[in-house]
Amino acid sequence: MGTDEVKGDSFFADPTLDHVPPAALFDAAVRAATTMLGRIDPDRMSSRLRSVEAKFPGLCERGVPADLRLGFPDLRPGTSCVPFEVIQGAVVVCVGRLWMSHSDDDDDELLAPWIMSPGRRAGHGLLDAQASWRMLIGPPRKTTEDYLVADMVGPSAPGDAGVHAASLVLEAARQVAAVVAKASGNGRKNSYFTVSSIEMSLSAGESWESYPEMICHGWEVARRRVSASIALHVDGVPRGSLVIDGR
């Protein structure tokens, strides 16, 4: 994979960063896995990401070639598991597994193409983002149970971003975790919350017709590291969950 492509055309391009964002590595893996499964078995051309486990043990430097490697998939009736890793030189910068479903009852797209943003974006100064369009969450708020909540505010048309919809969800979750880190005193001004691991589960069935509400049910802070547990609700219905770690 060419790490330089993230500098220009990618949705995840951010000139303020000296590394390739983990969401970009994840996006490359899930798109490559989807293509590979369709080539192995035509019945697996239709793939819906159901869950992922990934770790990012090192930063992926810009301007340095990196290899995206897909392991041989575990093919089962209606599902596939694809191991993957990204290696830069002798350093593993990303490793994980993807689980895909291939049911006729599942829409291929996680997010419906006609989704419109549900409201205003949070001010980009909240996360020190250089451009407001990089913000994928609305203004954070607290519930009566003292949970931190933010609505995902993605592109006006998800497909226009040129990335997998799950990658947008991951980046939105990273931004929620960054807000949590700052609220707990572990986020410094002009700092970037870097993801070290992610576990994400997504519901099957029809495409989501609204961007999800992200509800942070809890977080732990230890040695400047933050672990946040985030529920995904679409129109009030639970449709997924994440546990995201980073600092």
mmCIF file of all heavy atoms in Angstrom, residues 56-103:
data_model
loop_
_atom_site.group_PDB
_atom_site.id
_atom_site.type_symbol
_atom_site.label_atom_id
_atom_site.label_comp_id
_atom_site.label_asym_id
_atom_site.label_seq_id
_atom_site.Cartn_x
_atom_site.Cartn_y
_atom_site.Cartn_z
ATOM 1 N N PHE A 56 -2.969 -1.516 16.954
ATOM 2 C CA PHE A 56 -2.047 -0.643 16.232
ATOM 3 C C PHE A 56 -0.824 -0.427 17.123
ATOM 4 O O PHE A 56 -0.713 0.597 17.820
ATOM 5 C CB PHE A 56 -2.737 0.683 15.893
ATOM 6 C CG PHE A 56 -4.033 0.501 15.141
ATOM 7 C CD1 PHE A 56 -5.241 0.385 15.822
ATOM 8 C CD2 PHE A 56 -4.033 0.411 13.756
ATOM 9 C CE1 PHE A 56 -6.434 0.206 15.139
ATOM 10 C CE2 PHE A 56 -5.225 0.234 13.064
ATOM 11 C CZ PHE A 56 -6.433 0.124 13.749
ATOM 12 N N PRO A 57 0.096 -1.402 17.124
ATOM 13 C CA PRO A 57 1.214 -1.360 18.068
ATOM 14 C C PRO A 57 2.274 -0.310 17.768
ATOM 15 O O PRO A 57 3.110 -0.002 18.616
ATOM 16 C CB PRO A 57 1.807 -2.769 17.972
ATOM 17 C CG PRO A 57 1.403 -3.264 16.635
ATOM 18 C CD PRO A 57 0.075 -2.647 16.336
ATOM 19 N N GLY A 58 2.265 0.240 16.564
ATOM 20 C CA GLY A 58 3.258 1.252 16.211
ATOM 21 C C GLY A 58 2.669 2.249 15.228
ATOM 22 O O GLY A 58 1.653 1.976 14.583
ATOM 23 N N LEU A 59 3.286 3.415 15.132
ATOM 24 C CA LEU A 59 2.822 4.420 14.186
ATOM 25 C C LEU A 59 3.306 4.085 12.784
ATOM 26 O O LEU A 59 4.444 3.665 12.588
ATOM 27 C CB LEU A 59 3.331 5.805 14.587
ATOM 28 C CG LEU A 59 2.776 6.392 15.883
ATOM 29 C CD1 LEU A 59 3.386 7.774 16.130
ATOM 30 C CD2 LEU A 59 1.259 6.480 15.846
ATOM 31 N N CYS A 60 2.424 4.281 11.818
ATOM 32 C CA CYS A 60 2.772 4.070 10.413
ATOM 33 C C CYS A 60 3.258 5.396 9.842
ATOM 34 O O CYS A 60 2.484 6.353 9.711
ATOM 35 C CB CYS A 60 1.555 3.562 9.640
ATOM 36 S SG CYS A 60 1.880 3.152 7.919
ATOM 37 N N GLU A 61 4.537 5.466 9.520
ATOM 38 C CA GLU A 61 5.130 6.719 9.068
ATOM 39 C C GLU A 61 4.701 7.054 7.646
ATOM 40 O O GLU A 61 4.503 6.171 6.813
ATOM 41 C CB GLU A 61 6.650 6.631 9.123
ATOM 42 C CG GLU A 61 7.211 6.400 10.519
ATOM 43 C CD GLU A 61 8.718 6.308 10.513
ATOM 44 O OE1 GLU A 61 9.334 6.739 9.514
ATOM 45 O OE2 GLU A 61 9.282 5.802 11.498
ATOM 46 N N ARG A 62 4.572 8.320 7.385
ATOM 47 C CA ARG A 62 4.281 8.755 6.031
ATOM 48 C C ARG A 62 5.541 8.715 5.185
ATOM 49 O O ARG A 62 6.650 8.920 5.677
ATOM 50 C CB ARG A 62 3.715 10.172 6.067
ATOM 51 C CG ARG A 62 2.241 10.195 6.439
ATOM 52 C CD ARG A 62 1.618 11.472 5.947
ATOM 53 N NE ARG A 62 0.178 11.351 5.903
ATOM 54 C CZ ARG A 62 -0.655 12.243 6.401
ATOM 55 N NH1 ARG A 62 -0.189 13.297 7.013
ATOM 56 N NH2 ARG A 62 -1.956 12.071 6.294
ATOM 57 N N GLY A 63 5.340 8.457 3.895
ATOM 58 C CA GLY A 63 6.454 8.461 2.970
ATOM 59 C C GLY A 63 7.290 7.202 2.982
ATOM 60 O O GLY A 63 8.271 7.109 2.251
ATOM 61 N N VAL A 64 6.895 6.227 3.801
ATOM 62 C CA VAL A 64 7.627 4.956 3.880
ATOM 63 C C VAL A 64 6.683 3.846 3.418
ATOM 64 O O VAL A 64 5.581 3.714 3.949
ATOM 65 C CB VAL A 64 8.111 4.666 5.319
ATOM 66 C CG1 VAL A 64 8.863 3.344 5.372
ATOM 67 C CG2 VAL A 64 8.978 5.805 5.832
ATOM 68 N N PRO A 65 7.065 3.037 2.415
ATOM 69 C CA PRO A 65 6.174 1.975 1.937
ATOM 70 C C PRO A 65 5.767 1.024 3.053
ATOM 71 O O PRO A 65 6.530 0.761 3.991
ATOM 72 C CB PRO A 65 7.020 1.253 0.882
ATOM 73 C CG PRO A 65 8.026 2.269 0.442
ATOM 74 C CD PRO A 65 8.329 3.083 1.668
ATOM 75 N N ALA A 66 4.547 0.535 2.957
ATOM 76 C CA ALA A 66 4.038 -0.434 3.928
ATOM 77 C C ALA A 66 3.330 -1.550 3.168
ATOM 78 O O ALA A 66 2.759 -1.327 2.102
ATOM 79 C CB ALA A 66 3.074 0.235 4.902
ATOM 80 N N ASP A 67 3.385 -2.755 3.703
ATOM 81 C CA ASP A 67 2.744 -3.909 3.074
ATOM 82 C C ASP A 67 1.484 -4.277 3.837
ATOM 83 O O ASP A 67 1.524 -4.501 5.054
ATOM 84 C CB ASP A 67 3.689 -5.115 3.078
ATOM 85 C CG ASP A 67 4.910 -4.906 2.207
ATOM 86 O OD1 ASP A 67 4.762 -4.247 1.152
ATOM 87 O OD2 ASP A 67 5.994 -5.367 2.578
ATOM 88 N N LEU A 68 0.364 -4.356 3.126
ATOM 89 C CA LEU A 68 -0.886 -4.858 3.685
ATOM 90 C C LEU A 68 -0.991 -6.327 3.307
ATOM 91 O O LEU A 68 -1.015 -6.665 2.126
ATOM 92 C CB LEU A 68 -2.081 -4.077 3.140
ATOM 93 C CG LEU A 68 -3.469 -4.659 3.406
ATOM 94 C CD1 LEU A 68 -3.734 -4.787 4.892
ATOM 95 C CD2 LEU A 68 -4.549 -3.823 2.723
ATOM 96 N N ARG A 69 -1.051 -7.189 4.309
ATOM 97 C CA ARG A 69 -1.084 -8.630 4.056
ATOM 98 C C ARG A 69 -2.384 -9.222 4.603
ATOM 99 O O ARG A 69 -2.719 -9.032 5.767
ATOM 100 C CB ARG A 69 0.118 -9.308 4.719
ATOM 101 C CG ARG A 69 1.463 -8.770 4.222
ATOM 102 C CD ARG A 69 2.635 -9.380 4.958
ATOM 103 N NE ARG A 69 3.911 -8.827 4.498
ATOM 104 C CZ ARG A 69 5.091 -9.138 5.003
ATOM 105 N NH1 ARG A 69 5.168 -10.024 6.006
ATOM 106 N NH2 ARG A 69 6.188 -8.591 4.532
ATOM 107 N N LEU A 70 -3.080 -9.937 3.739
ATOM 108 C CA LEU A 70 -4.303 -10.639 4.136
ATOM 109 C C LEU A 70 -3.987 -12.119 4.295
ATOM 110 O O LEU A 70 -3.413 -12.728 3.395
ATOM 111 C CB LEU A 70 -5.403 -10.447 3.095
ATOM 112 C CG LEU A 70 -5.819 -9.010 2.786
ATOM 113 C CD1 LEU A 70 -6.892 -9.006 1.697
ATOM 114 C CD2 LEU A 70 -6.325 -8.310 4.039
ATOM 115 N N GLY A 71 -4.364 -12.696 5.436
ATOM 116 C CA GLY A 71 -4.191 -14.123 5.629
ATOM 117 C C GLY A 71 -5.292 -14.891 4.921
ATOM 118 O O GLY A 71 -6.296 -14.330 4.483
ATOM 119 N N PHE A 72 -5.107 -16.213 4.801
ATOM 120 C CA PHE A 72 -6.143 -17.022 4.153
ATOM 121 C C PHE A 72 -7.391 -16.999 5.024
ATOM 122 O O PHE A 72 -7.328 -17.242 6.229
ATOM 123 C CB PHE A 72 -5.664 -18.458 3.962
ATOM 124 C CG PHE A 72 -6.563 -19.232 3.031
ATOM 125 C CD1 PHE A 72 -6.419 -19.106 1.671
ATOM 126 C CD2 PHE A 72 -7.560 -20.053 3.535
ATOM 127 C CE1 PHE A 72 -7.249 -19.811 0.797
ATOM 128 C CE2 PHE A 72 -8.393 -20.743 2.679
ATOM 129 C CZ PHE A 72 -8.242 -20.627 1.295
ATOM 130 N N PRO A 73 -8.543 -16.708 4.430
ATOM 131 C CA PRO A 73 -9.759 -16.548 5.229
ATOM 132 C C PRO A 73 -10.321 -17.873 5.731
ATOM 133 O O PRO A 73 -10.163 -18.914 5.099
ATOM 134 C CB PRO A 73 -10.726 -15.880 4.254
ATOM 135 C CG PRO A 73 -10.274 -16.351 2.900
ATOM 136 C CD PRO A 73 -8.775 -16.438 2.996
ATOM 137 N N ASP A 74 -10.980 -17.780 6.869
ATOM 138 C CA ASP A 74 -11.739 -18.903 7.407
ATOM 139 C C ASP A 74 -13.146 -18.790 6.825
ATOM 140 O O ASP A 74 -13.931 -17.920 7.212
ATOM 141 C CB ASP A 74 -11.767 -18.816 8.936
ATOM 142 C CG ASP A 74 -12.533 -19.973 9.570
ATOM 143 O OD1 ASP A 74 -13.006 -20.859 8.827
ATOM 144 O OD2 ASP A 74 -12.687 -19.976 10.802
ATOM 145 N N LEU A 75 -13.450 -19.658 5.855
ATOM 146 C CA LEU A 75 -14.719 -19.587 5.133
ATOM 147 C C LEU A 75 -15.727 -20.546 5.753
ATOM 148 O O LEU A 75 -15.507 -21.761 5.784
ATOM 149 C CB LEU A 75 -14.506 -19.929 3.659
ATOM 150 C CG LEU A 75 -13.449 -19.094 2.911
ATOM 151 C CD1 LEU A 75 -13.317 -19.574 1.473
ATOM 152 C CD2 LEU A 75 -13.794 -17.619 2.959
ATOM 153 N N ARG A 76 -16.826 -19.988 6.226
ATOM 154 C CA ARG A 76 -17.905 -20.781 6.807
ATOM 155 C C ARG A 76 -19.208 -20.401 6.124
ATOM 156 O O ARG A 76 -19.301 -19.351 5.479
ATOM 157 C CB ARG A 76 -17.983 -20.540 8.314
ATOM 158 C CG ARG A 76 -16.668 -20.847 9.038
ATOM 159 C CD ARG A 76 -16.796 -20.709 10.532
ATOM 160 N NE ARG A 76 -15.523 -20.958 11.194
ATOM 161 C CZ ARG A 76 -15.361 -21.010 12.514
ATOM 162 N NH1 ARG A 76 -16.422 -20.834 13.305
ATOM 163 N NH2 ARG A 76 -14.171 -21.242 13.036
ATOM 164 N N PRO A 77 -20.220 -21.241 6.250
ATOM 165 C CA PRO A 77 -21.496 -20.902 5.606
ATOM 166 C C PRO A 77 -22.018 -19.538 6.061
ATOM 167 O O PRO A 77 -22.285 -19.328 7.245
ATOM 168 C CB PRO A 77 -22.429 -22.032 6.062
ATOM 169 C CG PRO A 77 -21.519 -23.182 6.337
ATOM 170 C CD PRO A 77 -20.266 -22.571 6.899
ATOM 171 N N GLY A 78 -22.107 -18.612 5.126
ATOM 172 C CA GLY A 78 -22.661 -17.303 5.426
ATOM 173 C C GLY A 78 -21.720 -16.317 6.074
ATOM 174 O O GLY A 78 -22.058 -15.139 6.209
ATOM 175 N N THR A 79 -20.513 -16.749 6.473
ATOM 176 C CA THR A 79 -19.583 -15.838 7.136
ATOM 177 C C THR A 79 -18.148 -16.123 6.691
ATOM 178 O O THR A 79 -17.827 -17.222 6.231
ATOM 179 C CB THR A 79 -19.644 -15.960 8.675
ATOM 180 O OG1 THR A 79 -19.243 -17.285 9.058
ATOM 181 C CG2 THR A 79 -21.044 -15.675 9.190
ATOM 182 N N SER A 80 -17.301 -15.130 6.884
ATOM 183 C CA SER A 80 -15.868 -15.264 6.610
ATOM 184 C C SER A 80 -15.094 -14.489 7.667
ATOM 185 O O SER A 80 -15.544 -13.431 8.117
ATOM 186 C CB SER A 80 -15.509 -14.706 5.225
ATOM 187 O OG SER A 80 -16.242 -15.321 4.197
ATOM 188 N N CYS A 81 -13.943 -15.030 8.041
ATOM 189 C CA CYS A 81 -13.039 -14.326 8.943
ATOM 190 C C CYS A 81 -11.715 -14.124 8.216
ATOM 191 O O CYS A 81 -11.134 -15.092 7.709
ATOM 192 C CB CYS A 81 -12.828 -15.107 10.240
ATOM 193 S SG CYS A 81 -11.631 -14.352 11.367
ATOM 194 N N VAL A 82 -11.262 -12.881 8.141
ATOM 195 C CA VAL A 82 -10.044 -12.560 7.393
ATOM 196 C C VAL A 82 -9.017 -11.933 8.338
ATOM 197 O O VAL A 82 -9.238 -10.840 8.862
ATOM 198 C CB VAL A 82 -10.334 -11.584 6.244
ATOM 199 C CG1 VAL A 82 -9.048 -11.297 5.454
ATOM 200 C CG2 VAL A 82 -11.413 -12.134 5.319
ATOM 201 N N PRO A 83 -7.888 -12.616 8.578
ATOM 202 C CA PRO A 83 -6.807 -11.985 9.346
ATOM 203 C C PRO A 83 -6.023 -11.029 8.450
ATOM 204 O O PRO A 83 -5.910 -11.238 7.246
ATOM 205 C CB PRO A 83 -5.952 -13.171 9.785
ATOM 206 C CG PRO A 83 -6.199 -14.222 8.754
ATOM 207 C CD PRO A 83 -7.591 -14.010 8.223
ATOM 208 N N PHE A 84 -5.484 -9.976 9.048
ATOM 209 C CA PHE A 84 -4.720 -9.011 8.253
ATOM 210 C C PHE A 84 -3.644 -8.373 9.120
ATOM 211 O O PHE A 84 -3.714 -8.376 10.352
ATOM 212 C CB PHE A 84 -5.642 -7.921 7.690
ATOM 213 C CG PHE A 84 -6.263 -7.039 8.731
ATOM 214 C CD1 PHE A 84 -5.653 -5.853 9.128
ATOM 215 C CD2 PHE A 84 -7.463 -7.383 9.330
ATOM 216 C CE1 PHE A 84 -6.216 -5.035 10.097
ATOM 217 C CE2 PHE A 84 -8.046 -6.575 10.301
ATOM 218 C CZ PHE A 84 -7.413 -5.396 10.686
ATOM 219 N N GLU A 85 -2.649 -7.814 8.453
ATOM 220 C CA GLU A 85 -1.618 -7.052 9.140
ATOM 221 C C GLU A 85 -1.005 -6.057 8.167
ATOM 222 O O GLU A 85 -1.004 -6.270 6.949
ATOM 223 C CB GLU A 85 -0.538 -7.957 9.731
ATOM 224 C CG GLU A 85 0.244 -8.761 8.724
ATOM 225 C CD GLU A 85 1.297 -9.659 9.370
ATOM 226 O OE1 GLU A 85 1.364 -9.695 10.610
ATOM 227 O OE2 GLU A 85 2.048 -10.323 8.637
ATOM 228 N N VAL A 86 -0.532 -4.966 8.715
ATOM 229 C CA VAL A 86 0.195 -3.964 7.938
ATOM 230 C C VAL A 86 1.594 -3.882 8.527
ATOM 231 O O VAL A 86 1.756 -3.672 9.731
ATOM 232 C CB VAL A 86 -0.491 -2.586 7.990
ATOM 233 C CG1 VAL A 86 0.338 -1.563 7.199
ATOM 234 C CG2 VAL A 86 -1.911 -2.669 7.436
ATOM 235 N N ILE A 87 2.598 -4.079 7.669
ATOM 236 C CA ILE A 87 3.990 -4.084 8.104
ATOM 237 C C ILE A 87 4.747 -2.981 7.385
ATOM 238 O O ILE A 87 4.641 -2.837 6.158
ATOM 239 C CB ILE A 87 4.647 -5.452 7.816
ATOM 240 C CG1 ILE A 87 3.916 -6.560 8.589
ATOM 241 C CG2 ILE A 87 6.122 -5.428 8.188
ATOM 242 C CD1 ILE A 87 4.452 -7.947 8.310
ATOM 243 N N GLN A 88 5.493 -2.201 8.136
ATOM 244 C CA GLN A 88 6.314 -1.142 7.565
ATOM 245 C C GLN A 88 7.767 -1.430 7.942
ATOM 246 O O GLN A 88 8.142 -1.347 9.117
ATOM 247 C CB GLN A 88 5.878 0.214 8.097
ATOM 248 C CG GLN A 88 6.448 1.389 7.344
ATOM 249 C CD GLN A 88 5.781 2.698 7.736
ATOM 250 O OE1 GLN A 88 5.723 3.028 8.905
ATOM 251 N NE2 GLN A 88 5.287 3.435 6.751
ATOM 252 N N GLY A 89 8.541 -1.836 6.952
ATOM 253 C CA GLY A 89 9.885 -2.299 7.239
ATOM 254 C C GLY A 89 9.799 -3.599 8.011
ATOM 255 O O GLY A 89 9.219 -4.565 7.545
ATOM 256 N N ALA A 90 10.343 -3.614 9.216
ATOM 257 C CA ALA A 90 10.248 -4.803 10.066
ATOM 258 C C ALA A 90 9.266 -4.597 11.209
ATOM 259 O O ALA A 90 9.177 -5.424 12.114
ATOM 260 C CB ALA A 90 11.631 -5.125 10.641
ATOM 261 N N VAL A 91 8.484 -3.515 11.137
ATOM 262 C CA VAL A 91 7.585 -3.155 12.236
ATOM 263 C C VAL A 91 6.131 -3.434 11.850
ATOM 264 O O VAL A 91 5.668 -2.991 10.797
ATOM 265 C CB VAL A 91 7.748 -1.669 12.614
ATOM 266 C CG1 VAL A 91 6.785 -1.295 13.741
ATOM 267 C CG2 VAL A 91 9.188 -1.379 13.021
ATOM 268 N N VAL A 92 5.426 -4.169 12.703
ATOM 269 C CA VAL A 92 3.989 -4.384 12.514
ATOM 270 C C VAL A 92 3.262 -3.169 13.083
ATOM 271 O O VAL A 92 3.351 -2.882 14.285
ATOM 272 C CB VAL A 92 3.517 -5.663 13.228
ATOM 273 C CG1 VAL A 92 2.006 -5.807 13.105
ATOM 274 C CG2 VAL A 92 4.210 -6.887 12.642
ATOM 275 N N VAL A 93 2.572 -2.438 12.235
ATOM 276 C CA VAL A 93 1.888 -1.229 12.678
ATOM 277 C C VAL A 93 0.383 -1.449 12.826
ATOM 278 O O VAL A 93 -0.317 -0.600 13.386
ATOM 279 C CB VAL A 93 2.164 -0.047 11.727
ATOM 280 C CG1 VAL A 93 3.630 0.333 11.764
ATOM 281 C CG2 VAL A 93 1.731 -0.374 10.298
ATOM 282 N N CYS A 94 -0.116 -2.581 12.329
ATOM 283 C CA CYS A 94 -1.543 -2.893 12.450
ATOM 284 C C CYS A 94 -1.717 -4.395 12.281
ATOM 285 O O CYS A 94 -1.125 -4.998 11.393
ATOM 286 C CB CYS A 94 -2.337 -2.133 11.390
ATOM 287 S SG CYS A 94 -4.102 -2.513 11.352
ATOM 288 N N VAL A 95 -2.520 -5.009 13.137
ATOM 289 C CA VAL A 95 -2.803 -6.436 13.033
ATOM 290 C C VAL A 95 -4.205 -6.682 13.572
ATOM 291 O O VAL A 95 -4.630 -6.056 14.544
ATOM 292 C CB VAL A 95 -1.760 -7.273 13.813
ATOM 293 C CG1 VAL A 95 -1.744 -6.915 15.289
ATOM 294 C CG2 VAL A 95 -1.989 -8.756 13.608
ATOM 295 N N GLY A 96 -4.944 -7.577 12.912
ATOM 296 C CA GLY A 96 -6.306 -7.823 13.386
ATOM 297 C C GLY A 96 -7.037 -8.863 12.568
ATOM 298 O O GLY A 96 -6.453 -9.550 11.729
ATOM 299 N N ARG A 97 -8.344 -8.942 12.818
ATOM 300 C CA ARG A 97 -9.225 -9.875 12.110
ATOM 301 C C ARG A 97 -10.549 -9.181 11.813
ATOM 302 O O ARG A 97 -11.043 -8.397 12.618
ATOM 303 C CB ARG A 97 -9.485 -11.128 12.956
ATOM 304 C CG ARG A 97 -8.265 -11.996 13.185
ATOM 305 C CD ARG A 97 -8.602 -13.247 13.985
ATOM 306 N NE ARG A 97 -9.017 -12.912 15.343
ATOM 307 C CZ ARG A 97 -9.471 -13.796 16.225
ATOM 308 N NH1 ARG A 97 -9.597 -15.076 15.872
ATOM 309 N NH2 ARG A 97 -9.807 -13.425 17.442
ATOM 310 N N LEU A 98 -11.077 -9.494 10.639
ATOM 311 C CA LEU A 98 -12.381 -8.983 10.207
ATOM 312 C C LEU A 98 -13.358 -10.139 10.058
ATOM 313 O O LEU A 98 -12.996 -11.196 9.540
ATOM 314 C CB LEU A 98 -12.262 -8.273 8.854
ATOM 315 C CG LEU A 98 -11.290 -7.102 8.721
ATOM 316 C CD1 LEU A 98 -11.081 -6.786 7.248
ATOM 317 C CD2 LEU A 98 -11.813 -5.889 9.461
ATOM 318 N N TRP A 99 -14.590 -9.950 10.490
ATOM 319 C CA TRP A 99 -15.641 -10.931 10.268
ATOM 320 C C TRP A 99 -16.683 -10.322 9.346
ATOM 321 O O TRP A 99 -17.205 -9.228 9.600
ATOM 322 C CB TRP A 99 -16.301 -11.334 11.583
ATOM 323 C CG TRP A 99 -15.481 -12.269 12.415
ATOM 324 C CD1 TRP A 99 -15.535 -13.631 12.457
ATOM 325 C CD2 TRP A 99 -14.453 -11.907 13.352
ATOM 326 N NE1 TRP A 99 -14.617 -14.134 13.342
ATOM 327 C CE2 TRP A 99 -13.941 -13.109 13.909
ATOM 328 C CE3 TRP A 99 -13.918 -10.690 13.774
ATOM 329 C CZ2 TRP A 99 -12.938 -13.106 14.855
ATOM 330 C CZ3 TRP A 99 -12.908 -10.689 14.713
ATOM 331 C CH2 TRP A 99 -12.425 -11.883 15.249
ATOM 332 N N MET A 100 -16.961 -11.024 8.247
ATOM 333 C CA MET A 100 -17.912 -10.539 7.247
ATOM 334 C C MET A 100 -19.073 -11.520 7.143
ATOM 335 O O MET A 100 -18.894 -12.742 7.263
ATOM 336 C CB MET A 100 -17.236 -10.415 5.880
ATOM 337 C CG MET A 100 -15.849 -9.794 5.888
ATOM 338 S SD MET A 100 -15.838 -8.026 6.175
ATOM 339 C CE MET A 100 -16.356 -7.424 4.575
ATOM 340 N N SER A 101 -20.268 -10.987 6.906
ATOM 341 C CA SER A 101 -21.430 -11.842 6.662
ATOM 342 C C SER A 101 -21.805 -11.762 5.191
ATOM 343 O O SER A 101 -21.549 -10.764 4.527
ATOM 344 C CB SER A 101 -22.616 -11.430 7.539
ATOM 345 O OG SER A 101 -23.118 -10.163 7.148
ATOM 346 N N HIS A 102 -22.431 -12.838 4.702
ATOM 347 C CA HIS A 102 -22.798 -12.930 3.277
ATOM 348 C C HIS A 102 -24.243 -13.408 3.149
ATOM 349 O O HIS A 102 -24.545 -14.289 2.361
ATOM 350 C CB HIS A 102 -21.867 -13.878 2.540
ATOM 351 C CG HIS A 102 -20.415 -13.668 2.838
ATOM 352 N ND1 HIS A 102 -19.690 -12.613 2.333
ATOM 353 C CD2 HIS A 102 -19.549 -14.357 3.620
ATOM 354 C CE1 HIS A 102 -18.445 -12.682 2.777
ATOM 355 N NE2 HIS A 102 -18.331 -13.734 3.563
ATOM 356 N N SER A 103 -25.122 -12.831 3.931
ATOM 357 C CA SER A 103 -26.518 -13.246 3.932
ATOM 358 C C SER A 103 -27.332 -12.420 2.946
ATOM 359 O O SER A 103 -27.105 -11.211 2.785
ATOM 360 C CB SER A 103 -27.110 -13.088 5.338
ATOM 361 O OG SER A 103 -28.500 -13.297 5.327
#
